[in-house]
Amino acid sequence: MDVSLSSLPTTDIDADALVVPVHTDAPAPDWAAEALASARFTAEPDTELLVPGLLDRPALFMGLGRSTEADANALRRAAARAVRRLADFPTVALGLAEGHPQGSEAAAAVAEGAVLGAYRYDGLRPPKPAVRSVTVVGPTEAKEAIRAAVITAECVNWARDLGNTPAGRLTPAALAQEATTAAAEHGLKVRVLTKKALRAGGYGGILGVGGGSDNPPRLIEVRYAGTNGRTVGLVGKGITFDAGGLGIKSGHGMADMRSDMCGGAAMLATAIAAARLGLPTGVVAVVPAAENLPSGSAYKPGDVLKHRNGKSSEITDTDAEGRVVLADALAHTVELDPELVIDAATLTYAVMHALGDEITGILGNDRELVAGLVATGEECGEPAWELPLYRGYARNIASPVATVRNDGGSEHADAIHAALFLEEFTGDVAWAHLDIAGTAFHTKSGDLHPAGATGTGIRTLVRYLSRL
């Protein structure tokens, strides 16, 4: 989608359809007052009214409630809904930020929402009609903010494509190739460790989880150098399909497990966004990619795996494989001497039980880092909630034969158990863990996304990195 900026009034823009904000505490535009009154349009939040023939072209009125309630998140969601509603019109003028007191921030939110809302994964189906270009109404100084918002949203949509691709087409090797191609396009460096290199390097967790599949695992490293000499490590779970291993899931339970690499997709997309935006701080994204399948060569309950940093894990649940591959990836990342490390993973059902599908769980060993991510997520419309890294529960993952075991014995507090497991592999680095099991993939559409992969976390991470 092409996105441009105009400081003209919405009604003066040459477009096939117009999008106009309406507030409960402000008069409607004179030219629309009669139509809105006739339709008894209340302008309450999340309401819409499409008037086909006004000003010789359709006008979509978006209710935003009181003007003080129409913050950037509300504008972002409204823009996303608008471009989906107007999919049959090639060009649209988005006047949602016209005259908004937040100026550039409001215009950027509208642009971001438009790109996010227009996304769909068609797979092998013929593409459906969609808005080709939007003109965002806002102040001229919003140009750079809009550019950054569009780049970020495009990277989110790239990650969504990966998360929606069927697992038969996106194997670990294919994910590595997608990362390599995107990185080359934007000038990032890539290193991919194959099965032979993983064995030589002592990546026993990745090899153990990936041992049951005919498609061998990979470790993907994508690096953006930055300009200020600082580096942040981003680690993302890249299980391209999770059947549960020998602890096999039900058919219903594995139906959407192509999404188990959404954390890895998010971190790769964040690195690409950092490069496209030219952020000062460097990024290294590390993704352990594997398929967790049952077979005669699959890892077994009772196995002990040795990891990259010399520590070991006892396997008591083959379906708790995400933390096992992340252990190697975290140890690998710490060796690269980052200033801090953030990981993202579709890791536990427990976080979904606690927080549902709209709030990401976050745990970590550095309160400033965790608080910064929570606050940034709130700004971006990606809410997160800190869960306690309660070390008293470490007794639940103690092992008589290994450094740690990969299961706490029940689903109770498993989000904490998983984070305590991961902490064993983070060294002395400031670290935060995002459990996106509930937020990464939705079976129903939302304001900013259709059903499927959401690309959650990317906008938060990009904004957080931009402020370092």
Side-chain angles (χ1 to χ4, degrees):
M1 173 190 285
D2 292 327
V3 179
S4 59
L5 171 67
S6 175
S7 58
L8 294 173
T10 306
T11 52
D12 290 351
I13 296 173
D14 183 16
D16 297 312
L18 309 178
V19 179
V20 182
V22 189
H23 300 281
T24 56
D25 59 346
D30 291 341
W31 56 271
E34 183 177 350
L36 295 177
S38 175
R40 297 182 180 179
F41 186 61
T42 65
E44 292 296 325
D46 301 332
T47 57
E48 303 172 7
L49 175 66
L50 180 63
V51 181
L54 214 55
L55 300 182
D56 298 324
R57 48 188 166 164
L60 178 62
F61 297 94
M62 307 293 292
L64 296 173
R66 293 182 61 83
S67 55
T68 54
E69 297 172 349
D71 61 6
N73 285 326
L75 296 179
R76 186 182 294 111
R77 295 193 303 269
R81 296 197 310 273
V83 295
R84 284 202 301 276
R85 181 76 182 271
L86 299 173
D88 290 330
F89 299 93
T91 63
V92 172
L94 283 170
L96 291 166
E98 184 175 358
H100 197 282
Q102 289 180 294
S104 294
E105 182 182 356
V110 170
E112 188 173 73
V115 178
L116 294 173
Y119 172 82
R120 70 164 143 300
Y121 180 75
D122 288 319
L124 300 179
R125 300 179 303 180
K128 296 180 180 179
V131 175
R132 293 200 305 264
S133 69
V134 297
T135 301
V136 176
V137 178
T140 54
E141 59 266 25
K143 184 176 181 179
E144 182 55 32
I146 287 177
R147 186 187 78 88
V150 169
I151 287 173
T152 303
E154 288 174 346
C155 290
V156 171
N157 288 345
W158 178 77
R160 288 172 170 178
D161 276 346
L162 294 178
N164 288 325
T165 301
R169 300 171 70 88
L170 194 76
T171 62
L175 177 58
Q177 184 56 57
E178 291 285 349
T180 299
T181 300
E185 182 180 350
H186 300 294
L188 293 87
K189 295 182 178 180
V190 182
R191 181 162 66 127
V192 177
L193 302 186
T194 62
K195 184 176 181 179
K196 180 178 179 180
L198 292 170
R199 185 179 294 113
Y203 298 84
I206 299 173
L207 290 167
V209 171
S213 173
D214 290 339
N215 295 310
R218 298 285 191 274
L219 182 76
I220 306 162
E221 177 188 309
V222 174
R223 181 183 287 271
Y224 163 65
T227 57
N228 64 8
R230 304 169 69 183
T231 300
V232 171
L234 301 176
V235 179
K237 176 183 174 184
I239 300 297
T240 57
F241 190 78
D242 179 21
L246 292 178
I248 194 166
K249 298 176 184 288
S250 67
H252 176 75
M254 71 174 80
D256 293 325
M257 282 297 104
R258 66 187 182 279
S259 67
D260 215 16
M261 41 62 65
C262 283
M267 295 319 201
L268 293 171
T270 300
I272 292 167
R276 291 182 62 185
L277 294 169
L279 299 187
T281 299
V283 170
V284 57
V286 177
V287 177
E291 293 179 338
N292 185 28
L293 302 180
S295 76
S297 58
Y299 75 143
K300 308 169 183 66
D303 282 354
V304 175
L305 305 179
K306 188 174 181 181
H307 295 279
R308 171 69 181 176
N309 65 351
K311 294 186 177 184
S312 58
S313 62
E314 177 189 4
I315 304 304
T316 51
D317 181 1
T318 64
D319 196 20
E321 83 298 328
R323 66 201 76 178
V324 178
V325 298
L326 286 172
D328 281 336
L330 285 166
H332 174 100
T333 304
V334 169
E335 291 176 13
L336 304 176
D337 197 29
E339 180 176 326
L340 57 91
V341 173
I342 304 168
D343 78 72
T346 47
L347 210 58
T348 68
Y349 293 110
V351 79
M352 300 168 68
H353 297 159
L355 301 177
D357 63 2
E358 294 186 11
I359 305 172
T360 290
I362 181 168
L363 306 93
N365 63 11
D366 186 285
R367 299 305 298 278
E368 183 179 354
L369 171 58
V370 170
L373 289 170
V374 169
T376 306
E378 189 69 23
E379 295 175 15
C380 295
E382 294 187 321
W385 193 263
E386 182 182 7
L387 299 175
L389 190 67
Y390 178 60
R391 293 186 173 84
Y393 288 162
R395 62 180 178 271
N396 297 335
I397 56 171
S399 169
V401 295
T403 308
V404 68
R405 70 180 188 182
N406 80 324
D407 176 50
S410 76
E411 285 191 13
H412 295 164
D414 191 44
I416 300 174
H417 294 152
L420 290 168
F421 179 100
L422 296 177
E423 189 181 25
E424 291 284 343
F425 303 90
T426 60
D428 297 324
V429 179
W431 156 75
H433 159 62
L434 307 179
D435 193 333
I436 59 173
T439 54
F441 192 94
H442 289 178
T443 56
K444 296 181 180 179
S445 62
D447 282 347
L448 296 176
H449 59 82
T454 64
T456 192
I458 299 167
R459 293 185 293 114
T460 296
L461 290 169
V462 170
R463 182 172 295 198
Y464 183 83
L465 290 170
S466 71
R467 292 173 174 171
L468 287 180

